[in-house]
Amino acid sequence: MVSGNLFHFRKQSWPPDEYVSRATLQLLDFDGAAPPEQAWRRRLNSHANKLKEFSVTFREAVKMMRLGVRLWSYVREEASHGRKAPIDPFTRENCKPSASQGVPLGGMGSGSISRGFRGEFRHWQIIPSLCEGSPIMANQFSIFISRDGGNKKFSSVLAPGHHEGIEKFGDEGITSWDWNLSGQHSTYHALFPRAWTIYDGEPDPDLKISCRQISPFIPHNYRESSLPTSVFVYTLVNTGKERAKVSLLLTWANSIGGTSHQSGGHFNEPFVGEDGVSGVLLHHKTAKDNPPVTFAIAACETQNVNVTVLPSFGLSEEAHVTAKDMWGTMVQDGHFDRENFNTGRSMPSSSGDTLCAAVSASAWVEPHGRCTVAFALAWSSPKVKFQKGCTYYRRYTQFYGTSERLALELVHDALMNYKWWEEEIEKWQTPILKDENLPEWYKFTLFNELYFLVAGGTVWTDGESLAADEKPNSCSSHKSSTLTNGDVGTTTPEKSSNNVSLVNNTTASTSSSDDEKPASNSFSDQELALVNQGRSNNRVSLHDDREHVGRFLYLEGIEYIMWCTYDVHFYASFALLDLFPKIELSIQRDFAKAVLCEDKRKVKFLAEGNWGIRKVKGAVPHDLGMHDPWHEMNAYNIHDTSRWKDLNPKFVLQVYRDFAATGDMSFGRDVWPAVRAAMEYMDQFDKDGDGLIENDGFPDQTYDAWTVHGISAYCGCLWLAALQAAATMAHRLGDCAFAERCRSKFLKAKPVFESKLWNGSYFNYDSGMSSNSRSIQADQLAGQWYTASSGLPPLFEESKIRSALQKIFEFNVMKVRGGRMGAVNGMHPNGRVDESCMQSREIWTGVTYSVAATMLLSGMEHQAFTAAEGIFISGWSEEGFGYWFQTPEAWTVDGHYRSLIYMRPLAIWAMQWVLSPPKAILDAPNINMMDRIHVSPFTPRAQNEMGARKFATKKRCCCGTSVFSCEC
């Protein structure tokens, strides 16, 4: 744990008055208008430089040539069917990535819109797996100010005028607007899920403006956190001597990104709602039979705030009301005609036209007075449809229904509830922000990395696909390929027409078909009773809305389009477990079900060009699919992941960690058959019977370009940890025979692992004879990381753990740009970066965070925060490469990125897990259960440890001499 005064000597990273004057901060210091001291900051006139993508070396290109040809062919084939390939390095987006991102809008799983730090709305992900990066420049906040006497007038879009997107509109009206803001005296402050933009005398020198962006991301709140809405609260402070009429304007195009606004068939309609909430609904007709989307833009009318609307205007000169006309009306009058509320629905837009709407909120601000104006945005698409699969209702429909007008209810509730949202957010964040033992950069980076749970292409459904009569035809063939939550291993074996087979391993020996061998694992009567008990218990909970949280998906990244990629979720899952544990358990249940099923459809694996079946029984899938998640798993097809050595151990380790942290015995019993099957599946990879798995001479783990030979530090350490976790979980569930099997393997495998890999200061990369076999891998202690994070005893002597971590710190961290970039994956013992492949020479942001967490667990606080700060310096600081709110999977030592907006950097929450572990982990008995299972109570060693065994109950345990707490 972090010592009490470790960071007291550190300089504050972000002096409060460095970006905003103290006088302005004091004027805004009411009603949440002033940004917190601990926030990420940028001036609005900061240049959003283009980002540099990585490229492979000539040697790497030669090695991957055959893969490249096969991948190119596969991408073209998928495109011919109107589908995107999950990995497509050949297609480039029209909008080149730039350092312009900011806090995204809305809750989780309902589609997302990001908002750049300079005010543009971009990165539209309303349709699953479809990301439109270009900003829609018609979507803006603007301001119009007129002081008494009419001698002073100001008008401006509230975004600097040097946006790269403006010129793309040509003369279609938007260029006629006043882009007067320089941004020199305006700053952006981000602390996810909120952001503040402070206009310090721009455009009116005597007006201080704060725009507060609030989204309902509230840990442990499974209702509000699913809502597709955000609120923008403007606080106006008049420091002048004259009264000022201030009109704020929100303009919005009927678009879901890209060129969708030009497709035609869209229409708008004004509305007057309850409690003064008024605005415009924008109904959008999507392409390719995707469910329609409705936007709502609104403002709240009060005694001092007058709300008017312009339901429709266009960007072309042919429009009945043009963007130029709209702007002229606001400059002259500061509001629209109130009769506009009675105009009804507009005519549907024609193909090629852009239909927009506007909401204006006007107020008088007295000299030295203050005023608050609140806007809200919501988007509603109740159904989510996957390209080859079923249609589902989104999570929020459980609370709002499925009406096409529910966006109106969403903006109303957002404007009524945002203050309560803020109170809940502050309760969550304040203890960390006020912790003086933590570096300033860590505090706001910790929260801001959570942007991915909104902007990472998340989908949150209410649970099951629509009723049969509402399903698209493509779902009928998948009817037997999904199980409801809690039915792990309970469905009788059946085959669908597409060779998807769900096998109940508890009965497979008697009901398997003639051409299939029985499952290798069979359970005792006692174990069957536990499984059945878990079934019945969970069926009850499924009917309890307080427990049922639906099903959740999030992409590996916007460039690697696969749902819930499991080897990466291994790193990212600490964020969900800490903040939304029921979602984390739901994901684990999905994978537990997947372990016990089989999909015999043939797939071509592109690395070697060989064929295999899509999903092997007993193997943990790489992902939950892409075009038909939960039904057609393993969208990844570079390698045959049924031969990977890390997925099954990672499943066991994550399940045990979640089981230990939550204490959810029902969860443990439900997933236990899958845990046991996953462990037994790995027996085939122990080729010499020494208890330790071996790698097969290809990249058979998450580093899927980095070849491994023989025993490896990464996979071997994960396997040792999985043996310990499985043994512990088996004892807690009463499966003592299996616990003993895992214990025996562990005691056999551990000395082999150390004798083959330990070289006196760290564990070698692998036991082979290649040029990089002695490389220092940053991730070599991944198993120890999970062991310690789960409250289990260490895998190795503490001296070895600290020695390896110190070696990683001195070489992988400090020998790369002085520790200012994170930890490079591979480093030769001579101090040179391992360049055997592209991944060995990369710095993986999420791995650096996980290594830092491992260092914290070993009391190496200085090394931990120094390593993690390298990610902040290179990715988030003003002197870095511009990766804020789009943290990539990796960058090279020269700062070139690979795969923006990536899942793994959520691993920073593994550091927070160490700094503030749950009580169940803190209270875990510090007894090495692998050594103590059958130790006689009369040996001297046992007598010395009797004090640590007082937690056991006095009644006879079903595990006999077990020192585990038996909870069966």
Side-chain angles (χ1 to χ4, degrees), residues 357-648:
V359 174
S360 168
S362 306
W364 285 96
V365 187
E366 299 297 328
H368 307 291
R370 300 168 175 174
C371 180
T372 298
V373 179
F375 290 84
L377 164 70
W379 55 97
S380 170
S381 184
K383 293 179 182 178
V384 55
K385 176 187 174 185
F386 296 100
Q387 199 157 3
K388 289 170 62 178
C390 300
T391 299
Y392 301 81
Y393 282 125
R394 295 190 190 265
R395 165 72 175 168
Y396 60 85
T397 62
Q398 288 194 348
F399 319 112
Y400 282 87
T402 60
S403 166
E404 66 176 14
R405 299 178 64 82
L406 67 85
L408 192 158
E409 298 178 54
L410 286 166
V411 288
H412 170 271
D413 289 359
L415 287 167
M416 296 299 103
N417 295 331
Y418 74 85
K419 291 185 179 180
W420 170 65
W421 293 350
E422 286 196 288
E423 290 174 1
E424 295 300 303
I425 292 167
E426 288 173 357
K427 287 179 187 177
W428 159 46
Q429 293 184 338
T430 297
I432 295 173
L433 298 177
K434 297 297 184 183
D435 189 342
E436 296 182 355
N437 297 319
L438 300 175
E440 295 297 304
W441 65 264
Y442 170 79
K443 297 175 185 178
F444 57 75
T445 306
L446 176 74
F447 292 114
N448 285 332
E449 288 283 17
L450 290 171
Y451 83 93
F452 188 84
L453 290 177
V454 173
T458 54
V459 172
W460 193 356
T461 76
D462 68 353
E464 299 307 315
S465 57
L466 301 188
D469 59 345
E470 296 184 53
K471 290 181 184 179
N473 291 334
S474 62
C475 284
S476 60
S477 64
H478 298 293
K479 190 173 182 180
S480 66
S481 64
T482 187
L483 295 171
T484 57
N485 277 343
D487 290 335
V488 178
T490 66
T491 298
T492 55
E494 57 182 330
K495 286 187 179 181
S496 69
S497 59
N498 56 14
N499 282 330
V500 178
S501 173
L502 290 176
V503 179
N504 176 0
N505 282 345
T506 64
T507 60
S509 60
T510 60
S511 60
S512 59
S513 60
D514 293 337
D515 60 345
E516 292 180 339
K517 293 182 179 180
S520 59
N521 54 313
S522 58
F523 299 128
S524 67
D525 291 341
Q526 180 188 35
E527 293 157 1
L528 283 172
L530 285 172
V531 173
N532 288 327
Q533 181 183 353
R535 295 177 197 166
S536 60
N537 287 349
N538 200 65
R539 284 197 183 114
V540 173
S541 68
L542 279 175
H543 296 287
D544 184 349
D545 286 340
R546 293 172 299 174
E547 297 299 322
H548 179 56
V549 296
R551 302 176 94 175
F552 187 85
L553 298 168
Y554 64 146
L555 292 176
E556 180 178 338
I558 62 168
E559 297 176 35
Y560 298 156
I561 309 172
M562 294 162 282
W563 298 112
C564 294
T565 300
Y566 200 72
D567 56 311
V568 185
H569 181 68
F570 177 75
Y571 297 83
S573 57
F574 283 88
L576 284 174
L577 179 59
D578 201 357
L579 306 176
F580 298 95
K582 292 178 184 178
I583 290 179
E584 166 64 9
L585 295 187
S586 174
I587 292 173
Q588 299 296 7
R589 289 180 189 275
D590 284 336
F591 276 92
K593 285 177 273 189
V595 170
L596 300 176
C597 82
E598 186 172 64
D599 185 343
K600 291 186 177 180
R601 286 172 290 183
K602 294 291 185 178
V603 173
K604 185 176 182 179
F605 301 114
L606 303 180
E608 300 297 332
N610 59 316
W611 290 78
I613 69 173
R614 177 176 288 276
K615 168 65 180 68
V616 176
K617 182 171 55 183
V620 174
H622 172 273
D623 54 79
L624 291 178
M626 177 184 176
H627 299 302
D628 193 5
W630 301 298
H631 300 277
E632 187 180 272
M633 292 167 286
N634 282 335
Y636 177 91
N637 62 349
I638 304 298
H639 299 288
D640 181 357
T641 59
S642 69
R643 308 294 300 172
W644 277 18
K645 309 307 183 296
D646 64 336
L647 287 169
N648 282 39

Side-chain angles (χ1 to χ4, degrees), residues 690 692 711 720 748-760 762-764 766-767 774 796-797 800:
D690 61 1
L692 198 61
I711 298 168
L720 290 177
K748 192 175 183 181
K750 178 182 172 181
V752 176
F753 179 87
E754 294 191 90
S755 65
K756 293 289 183 68
L757 297 180
W758 181 252
N759 61 23
Y762 64 94
F763 294 100
N764 291 336
D766 64 28
S767 62
R774 285 182 55 83
F796 315 107
E797 293 89 342
K800 288 183 177 178

Side-chain angles (χ1 to χ4, degrees), residues 7-15 18 439-440:
F7 295 107
H8 284 181
F9 68 91
R10 295 180 69 94
K11 176 188 174 183
Q12 296 291 302
S13 305
W14 301 82
E18 182 178 341
E440 295 297 304

